[in-house]
Amino acid sequence: MTPPRLRPALVTLSAAALLTVASAAPAAPVAASPAPARSSVVLDWYDTTAETVAAAGAPTQITNSRTWAISWLAAARATRQAPAGVDRGAFQDAALASAVHDALVALAPARTEALDAALDRTLDAIPDGYAEERGVAAGTRQAAQVLAARQDDGLDPASVNAPFTVPPAGPGVWQPTPPAYAPAVQYGNRLAKPFLLERADLFRLGPPPAVGSARYRADLAEVRAYGAADSTVRTSRQSETADFWFGSSLTLYTEPLRVALARSGQSTDRRAGLVALFHAALVDTQIATSDSKYAYLRWRPVTALRTGTIDPDPAWTPRHITPAHPDYPSGHATYAGAAETVLTALVGARTAPFELTSPTAPGVTRSYTSWRRLTSENVDARVWSGIHTRSADEAGVVLGGDVARYALDHSGRLFGRL
């Protein structure tokens, strides 16, 4: 049975409790505005993490999400360990820099030189003395402990893309998709060790609409019309939305999370906790996504439209190339639903306007004031790309929200033993 959803009020309370555990400072206002420009070790190391993942990251998104989660979980744990009698600010800056540095060096050794230089810059700005020394030691210790706890967790690229045997073709059954007809990917996610979920299938979705049902027919008709490469009904704005959200969710949500981090007004340890919880929840969301995908093995629209029994069109082609895994649910939608849930719980539903660009829509800049709009655009984009049904997108938002609420409600466990 699917566990009941947690009430939003309890989730918010639990999230607040997590951050209170990390710091005795008062909570920041929900409707945050841009803070005055100033040097921030938190933002410096956020940017360093993003640069490291971009330059030396793994070919699998969930592995890179793991890198973020491990690095910032170590930082969150280290920054709350300031002993009495030290300059708390100096201790926390040193602890965060040391923790993220050591974790990233272990996970992306090709970037060691750049990471060492970044650490030197941070420590050069901190007064020498006991607080700095203790902070560096705490960061080193926590990085080692989290890395050890997550060793062999099944989130390395080879494990993520574990071999999958494709079942015989049949109505609704996933098959490799054109043009490459590549083997299935991400099957191994469902076998990996979550950060907080008790098991991968804890929030497994109910089945997708039955093949031939009214909802199935409506879904297919929408993708046929709006998702085709040569669609005559998709508007230029809809095409732009499809292109904008076609890239990696991890890449596309790096800037929104940074905006939330910069505007939170919270202490160093609370902000480190925000980044850690966000990425731990998103690792678990990707694990749960793979579980539902490979439990139901629903075929992609391109297969249904080319070979199905409803007005088959062997030449139908989607706007974007279909990823090599099942339709239901959409991974972009689960990611968006989880991200929205975490950000809303920890920093509020709305913020001052911020701009966002996308590597898959060069020259396009969009402005946002809420996390919900990111989610709604993801849902539409996957239909207008021709690679998902709306049912798969909407179910994905539900699954992502369920996993994120669970992570928020159990987030205190992140700051003890894994």
Side-chain angles (χ1 to χ4, degrees):
M1 296 179 60
T2 300
R5 288 198 208 172
L6 301 168
R7 295 192 298 275
L10 294 180
V11 169
T12 304
L13 177 61
S14 175
L18 159 67
L19 297 182
T20 300
V21 167
S23 171
V30 168
S33 297
R38 63 183 179 83
S39 176
S40 167
V41 169
V42 174
L43 293 180
D44 288 347
W45 280 93
Y46 186 92
D47 293 342
T48 297
T49 307
E51 292 164 3
T52 299
V53 169
T60 45
Q61 177 175 276
I62 195 171
T63 309
N64 292 323
S65 297
R66 173 187 186 266
T67 294
W68 276 93
I70 287 174
S71 303
W72 284 82
L73 179 52
R77 289 180 174 183
T79 51
R80 69 188 181 102
Q81 295 183 343
V86 303
D87 179 335
R88 185 174 180 82
F91 173 91
Q92 289 189 326
D93 284 352
L96 186 146
S98 174
V100 178
H101 166 273
D102 286 14
L104 290 178
V105 165
L107 297 170
R111 298 288 294 173
T112 297
E113 183 176 353
L115 292 166
D116 287 349
L119 180 61
D120 288 343
R121 288 193 296 272
T122 299
L123 297 182
D124 285 347
I126 300 172
D128 293 338
Y130 185 64
E132 181 189 50
E133 293 170 1
R134 291 296 296 270
V136 169
T140 295
R141 180 172 60 253
Q142 289 300 325
Q145 290 180 3
V146 178
L147 285 163
R150 296 300 304 185
Q151 187 174 6
D152 299 324
D153 59 8
L155 292 171
D156 59 284
S159 298
V160 166
N161 289 330
F164 171 74
T165 301
V166 179
V173 179
W174 182 83
Q175 299 292 301
T177 50
Y181 296 93
V185 297
Q186 301 177 10
Y187 171 72
N189 284 359
R190 71 200 301 249
L191 309 175
K193 175 185 175 183
F195 276 86
L196 286 165
L197 284 180
E198 294 175 11
R199 61 184 194 275
D201 65 351
L202 184 62
F203 293 103
R204 181 178 292 176
L205 293 165
V211 173
S213 67
R215 178 60 193 265
Y216 173 85
R217 288 174 175 272
D219 281 341
L220 214 56
E222 183 182 23
V223 181
R224 185 193 300 272
Y226 286 89
D230 58 355
S231 172
T232 59
V233 296
R234 187 181 58 239
T235 66
S236 59
R237 176 70 175 182
Q238 290 169 338
S239 294
E240 180 186 282
T241 299
D243 296 347
F244 194 92
W245 291 103
F246 185 61
S248 157
S249 294
L250 175 63
T251 299
L252 289 163
Y253 272 87
T254 297
E255 181 60 22
L257 177 56
R258 190 187 193 281
V259 168
L261 189 67
R263 298 177 180 182
S264 69
Q266 296 173 339
S267 60
T268 296
D269 46 336
R270 288 188 177 196
R271 292 199 287 170
L274 166 61
V275 180
L277 180 55
F278 181 95
H279 285 287
L282 267 300
V283 168
D284 284 7
T285 295
Q286 291 171 83
I287 290 172
T289 300
S290 178
D291 172 76
S292 283
K293 277 183 179 289
Y294 284 95
Y296 295 113
L297 289 172
R298 173 51 60 92
W299 61 7
R300 287 281 187 159
V302 65
T303 307
L305 290 167
R306 287 188 176 192
T307 68
T309 59
I310 302 174
D311 299 325
D313 178 0
W316 189 89
T317 301
R319 178 173 180 81
H320 291 131
I321 293 175
T322 301
H325 45 74
D327 177 59
Y328 181 88
S330 160
H332 270 58
T334 62
Y335 198 106
E340 178 192 340
T341 300
V342 172
L343 292 172
T344 299
L346 297 188
V347 299
R350 301 187 65 83
T351 186
F354 68 92
E355 293 186 339
L356 190 61
T357 60
S358 167
T360 53
V364 176
T365 299
R366 291 192 164 188
S367 180
Y368 300 89
T369 58
S370 72
W371 319 123
R372 171 61 57 87
R373 189 175 155 212
L374 305 179
T375 303
S376 64
E377 287 191 6
N378 266 280
V379 169
D380 289 335
R382 307 310 270 177
V383 175
W384 298 335
S385 286
I387 58 180
H388 273 300
T389 59
R390 189 165 295 274
S391 289
D393 294 336
E394 292 176 349
V397 174
V398 172
L399 177 59
D402 285 345
V403 175
R405 281 185 286 272
Y406 183 89
L408 287 160
D409 195 55
H410 295 81
S411 53
R413 297 205 318 249
L414 283 176
F415 298 88
R417 290 188 178 276
L418 288 179

